[in-house]
Amino acid sequence: AGKTGDAMKALEESNRIYGDLVAQNPGIADYRRDLAISCSKLGGLYGQSKRMDEARRAFERGAILGGDLAADYPLQPDYRREWARAWSEYGLVLRSAGELESAMSAIGQAVAILEALVEGYPDHFSYRLDLARSTEEMGRTCQEAGDLDQAGGQYLKAREQYAQLLQEDPGNPSVLASL
């Protein structure tokens, strides 16, 4: 508990500092991105500590910040990727807490963001890998919720996405680790 408590204090302080930086410099996108990422990390740590109300607040703040950043800078696709990552991580925390409907909604947000990102940047390998992973997580969440038809469809879609990635780069360790 000591290391988790120390990490939580450090992330809470990080959030405070980034929040101050954003308040003083709202036009600096990197500060906003760092605050959104910090919120997601803090939400994950709260979730691991079973502090779900705090986890929700942190993730929701990160999602709002990430969404605003993605809207304000549509030509910066990595902001959308981070926004999707935050939704996916939120979904995993909700799933681990047994909140499967909410988890499916959060992961569904990640999948939708990533699908749009991949549509706009079809040759970007890492965006497609993120989409395959989030699609697989959606399948896993549907399976845990008992929706085996939906789970099967998501798993099949993820398998096709992974197969395409593997065809393009057969030795890619990130893809191989996901299989």
Side-chain angles (χ1 to χ4, degrees), residues 152-163:
Q154 293 297 312
Y155 283 139
L156 182 59
K157 190 188 282 187
R159 181 174 180 228
E160 291 169 358
Q161 292 165 341
Y162 284 131

Side-chain angles (χ1 to χ4, degrees), residues 49-107:
S49 300
K50 307 297 183 213
R51 295 168 60 177
M52 291 308 295
D53 288 340
E54 292 162 297
R56 271 187 203 82
R57 281 192 297 275
F59 275 117
E60 289 167 3
R61 183 177 184 209
I64 289 167
L65 291 164
D68 289 347
L69 191 61
D72 290 347
Y73 297 93
L75 299 179
Q76 293 291 334
D78 283 341
Y79 291 158
R80 284 185 276 161
R81 182 184 191 196
E82 289 298 333
W83 184 33
R85 190 172 287 155
W87 276 113
S88 184
E89 290 170 7
Y90 186 26
L92 298 180
V93 167
L94 291 167
R95 185 176 74 201
S96 73
E99 299 181 30
L100 300 176
E101 291 297 321
S102 295
M104 285 189 284
S105 177
I107 295 168

Side-chain angles (χ1 to χ4, degrees), residues 1-11 45-46 48-49 51:
K3 288 183 181 181
T4 300
D6 291 345
M8 201 171 299
K9 286 179 187 174
L11 279 172
L45 200 53
Y46 283 144
Q48 289 172 359
S49 300
R51 295 168 60 177

Side-chain angles (χ1 to χ4, degrees), residues 85-154:
R85 190 172 287 155
W87 276 113
S88 184
E89 290 170 7
Y90 186 26
L92 298 180
V93 167
L94 291 167
R95 185 176 74 201
S96 73
E99 299 181 30
L100 300 176
E101 291 297 321
S102 295
M104 285 189 284
S105 177
I107 295 168
Q109 289 281 1
V111 168
I113 294 164
L114 289 165
E115 285 175 340
L117 193 57
V118 166
E119 185 177 315
Y121 299 88
D123 295 330
H124 202 291
F125 191 90
S126 62
Y127 297 163
R128 292 176 25 238
L129 179 58
D130 287 351
L131 176 58
R133 288 176 174 157
S134 289
T135 303
E136 180 181 13
E137 290 301 339
M138 179 61 92
R140 188 170 290 121
T141 306
C142 291
Q143 181 180 356
E144 285 187 30
D147 188 345
L148 300 183
D149 289 338
Q150 180 73 5
Q154 293 297 312

